[in-house]
Amino acid sequence: MRWKECLDRGLIRSAPGAQERVPGSLESAARFLRAAEKNVVIEEYEMAHLAAYNSAFHSVRAFLYAAGYVERSHACLVTAVRYAAGDDPEVADLLNAFDKLRIARHNVQYSGSLVCEEEAAFCTRLACQAFDLARRRLG
């Protein structure tokens, strides 16, 4: 979705105090990352994938909060953070990878797609990278 469409539909909106939500979002990202890592170890790959997505989501959402916005759409989250980050190449790379993970998570959660060990480990590494970037920039 485009920035204006997200705004017009109320899927992204400016929110006073959004910046105060950054620490909580980072804490959630850390918890889900630990869950993803534990699920890879016990070979629960679909659960690892979902936890890794949730971790990356909270890391990306911390950037949105820092910019003073809240979301009601995972797709608009990507659009809004891309808009807020401007030409930041590190954030752009993160968003490109996160958006692919968002689509894959949808297939796992709603279509019953299976996840192999390599994919679960990859998603967990991506979540770790997202968390590290968010913590470095915002924490």
Side-chain angles (χ1 to χ4, degrees):
M1 258 188 253
R2 297 191 183 270
W3 172 248
K4 184 166 176 12
E5 182 182 359
C6 290
L7 286 174
D8 290 347
R9 293 179 61 190
L11 300 174
I12 295 291
R13 64 179 173 76
S14 179
Q19 293 90 350
E20 296 168 12
R21 297 181 183 186
V22 169
S25 200
L26 293 175
E27 289 170 15
S28 292
R31 278 194 313 276
F32 279 114
L33 180 57
R34 285 191 301 274
E37 292 167 342
K38 289 176 183 177
N39 276 287
V40 168
V41 169
I42 63 170
E43 300 179 5
E44 289 288 346
Y45 301 130
E46 289 78 22
M47 297 309 293
H49 190 287
L50 296 174
Y53 173 79
N54 282 326
S55 175
F57 169 80
H58 284 285
S59 294
V60 171
R61 189 163 70 169
F63 282 99
L64 183 71
Y65 289 157
Y69 294 95
V70 295
E71 48 63 46
R72 293 181 50 100
S73 160
H74 290 220
C76 284
L77 172 64
V78 173
T79 300
V81 173
R82 194 177 308 280
Y83 176 84
D87 293 332
D88 186 318
E90 218 175 358
V91 174
D93 287 347
L94 167 63
L95 292 173
N96 290 337
F98 174 72
D99 205 31
K100 291 175 185 168
L101 182 58
R102 179 183 65 82
I103 294 164
R105 188 274 317 187
H106 184 89
N107 292 332
V108 170
Q109 185 149 351
Y110 299 110
S111 299
S113 295
L114 298 178
V115 177
C116 67
E117 179 179 6
E118 293 79 18
E119 184 177 358
F122 172 79
C123 294
T124 302
R125 284 191 306 275
L126 173 63
C128 185
Q129 292 167 354
F131 177 67
D132 287 344
L133 180 61
R135 188 179 52 192
R136 194 166 18 96
R137 297 278 186 93
L138 308 170

